[in-house]
């Protein structure tokens, strides 16, 4: 189904796409799902081919690192997570670099920490780097710098999850669309895994406190972190900053092309700009 609002997504020029660890890896083995990554790279390269600017926020550093080091369970200590991320981030980038190069695209790595974003001059530097990379036609691939910022207290001294990070990036670079690829089709009135009567919500015009309540802090996967609550927090940041956001099922990454051609896939959160928008408040969770 197409609506006028959905048709408008065709015109978006600066797009941030976020993919999570559970969408990038095979459920049973934890190995990278190369076919899916390859397809995502192709879809993004095609968006570039249409003249759009694309930023990819990719999780997976910790999951890929743990796999590379032969750990088949979730890391227990913080230093273990940090070490896994150091190994995994490099591997992940190696795969992205190789696949993007096959489609004649240049991938760039941008690792952010909450400190980088809080500090005015480093935030400004990060913003300039993004703008320059996009001007040069490169595809920035973003993750949190887990090697130094993973900690016990999410949200206080780190971003906590890449859903929020991707919305912060969208706000920082003035993106007009953020697409969160998730393991669920979009927003439901309740958790559809537990309540078969849960109703699918295809469009959200405004994020109300009741809606925020609806988000459940659950993530069905063993590798990712962000549940629906994190996605709604991301929606709040993105839409307040003036960007539309779509949550869609990343099971088939082709969904990105379908969204970009105006198909009613996933849940669309319409931009609802807050004219007093100050990114710092959102980074610090004061909203
Ligand atoms: N930054 C983490 C990683 O790359 C993932 C965070 C998240 O899943 O939201 O492993």
């Amino acid at each position: 189904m197409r609506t006028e609002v959905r048709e408008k997504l065709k015109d978006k020029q600066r797009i941030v796409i976020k993919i999570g660890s559970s969408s990038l890896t095979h459920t049973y083995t934890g190995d990278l799902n190369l076919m899916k990554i390859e397809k995502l790279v192709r879809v993004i390269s095609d968006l570039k081919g249409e003249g759009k600017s694309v930023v990819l926020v990719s999780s997976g550093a910790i999951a890929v690192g743990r796999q590379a080091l032969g750990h088949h369970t979730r890391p227990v200590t913080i230093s273990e997570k940090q070490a896994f991320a150091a190994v995994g981030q490099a591997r992940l980038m190696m795969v992205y670099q190789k696949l993007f190069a096959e489609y004649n695209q240049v991938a760039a790595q941008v690792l952010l920490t909450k400190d980088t974003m809080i500090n005015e001059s480093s935030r400004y530097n990060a913003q300039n780097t993004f703008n320059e990379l996009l001007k040069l036609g490169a595809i920035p691939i973003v993750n949190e710098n887990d090697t130094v910022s993973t900690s016990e207290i999410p949200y206080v001294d780190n971003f906590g999850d890449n859903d929020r990070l991707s919305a912060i990036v969208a706000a920082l670079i003035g993106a007009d669309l953020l697409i969160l690829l998730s393991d669920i089709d979009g927003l439901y009135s309740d958790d559809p895994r537990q309540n078969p009567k849960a109703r699918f919500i295809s469009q959200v015009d405004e994020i109300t406190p009741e809606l925020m309540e609806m988000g459940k802090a659950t993530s069905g996967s063993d590798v990712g972190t962000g549940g629906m609550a994190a996605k709604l927090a991301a929606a709040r940041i993105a839409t307040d900053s003036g960007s539309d956001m779509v949550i869609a099922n990343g099971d088939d990454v082709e969904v990105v092309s379908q969204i970009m051609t105006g198909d009613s896939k996933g849940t669309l959160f319409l931009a609802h700009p807050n004219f007093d928008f100050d990114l710092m408040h959102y980074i610090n969770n004061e909203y």
Side-chain angles (χ1 to χ4, degrees):
M1 197 185 72
R2 291 186 177 208
T3 63
E4 213 177 302
V5 186
R6 288 288 186 157
E7 289 280 344
K8 285 203 184 124
L9 298 188
K10 286 182 186 165
D11 303 327
K12 301 291 179 185
Q13 286 304 322
R14 200 168 256 218
I15 302 142
V16 177
I17 299 171
K18 182 260 171 179
I19 187 149
S21 308
S22 62
S23 304
L24 289 172
T25 51
H26 290 287
T27 317
Y28 294 110
T29 60
D31 280 337
L32 272 181
N33 186 334
L34 293 171
M35 190 97 94
K36 194 187 269 187
I37 299 179
E38 215 266 346
K39 208 164 165 187
L40 177 68
V41 163
R42 205 162 359 120
V43 166
I44 293 176
S45 300
D46 258 336
L47 288 177
K48 282 289 315 304
E50 285 174 32
K52 302 187 189 290
S53 297
V54 185
V55 173
L56 175 64
V57 177
S58 174
S59 306
I62 297 172
V64 171
R66 99 182 189 200
Q67 198 65 12
L69 292 163
H71 266 251
H72 298 294
T73 49
R74 275 196 118 143
V76 184
T77 62
I78 300 293
S79 54
E80 219 174 30
K81 270 195 208 169
Q82 293 168 327
F84 289 179
V87 173
Q89 181 63 31
R91 282 224 172 181
L92 200 57
M93 278 314 293
M94 192 171 71
V95 172
Y96 279 127
Q97 289 280 16
K98 177 179 182 295
L99 294 176
F100 272 116
E102 283 175 14
Y103 292 99
N104 219 9
Q105 301 295 331
V106 178
Q109 173 179 262
V110 181
L111 297 180
L112 297 172
T113 63
K114 194 169 169 181
D115 283 344
T116 327
M117 296 303 270
I118 287 174
N119 180 293
E120 205 173 320
S121 74
S122 53
R123 184 170 73 244
Y124 179 70
N125 288 338
Q127 192 176 37
N128 280 344
T129 306
F130 274 115
N131 285 335
E132 194 60 36
L133 283 169
L134 295 177
K135 202 163 93 191
L136 292 166
I139 299 167
I141 302 181
V142 183
N143 198 357
E144 182 157 7
N145 192 353
D146 296 311
T147 299
V148 293
S149 71
T150 299
S151 79
E152 217 119 18
I153 19 184
Y155 307 120
V156 174
D157 50 12
N158 62 11
F159 292 113
D161 57 75
N162 277 3
D163 294 321
R164 293 174 83 261
L165 172 61
S166 60
I168 289 168
V169 168
L172 182 76
I173 66 167
D176 46 12
L177 178 64
L178 166 63
I179 301 177
L180 294 188
L181 295 176
S182 168
D183 52 5
I184 191 163
D185 293 339
L187 182 67
Y188 284 84
S189 56
D190 197 359
D191 187 343
R193 294 177 183 118
Q194 322 219 344
N195 177 359
K197 293 211 181 101
R199 194 171 38 84
F200 186 72
I201 300 169
S202 62
Q203 186 173 316
V204 174
D205 294 349
E206 192 182 346
I207 300 170
T208 56
E210 298 76 57
L211 196 82
M212 293 300 275
E213 272 302 299
M214 253 158 57
K216 298 254 164 84
T218 49
S219 167
S221 86
D222 172 44
V223 283
T225 46
M228 198 42 83
K231 289 177 178 55
L232 287 176
R236 182 77 200 280
I237 301 170
T239 57
D240 279 7
S241 82
S243 167
D244 286 345
M245 183 182 116
V246 178
I247 302 178
N249 199 324
D251 229 14
D252 182 359
V253 293
E254 201 65 43
V255 75
V256 172
S257 313
Q258 294 165 338
I259 292 167
M260 294 308 301
T261 50
D263 279 359
S264 278
K265 292 281 178 183
T267 300
L268 168 64
F269 295 80
L270 287 176
H272 198 266
N274 165 5
F275 294 103
D276 296 324
F277 185 83
D278 178 350
L279 187 53
M280 277 310 296
H281 291 155
Y282 294 77
I283 294 170
N284 287 324
N285 263 339
E286 297 157 356
Y287 56 92

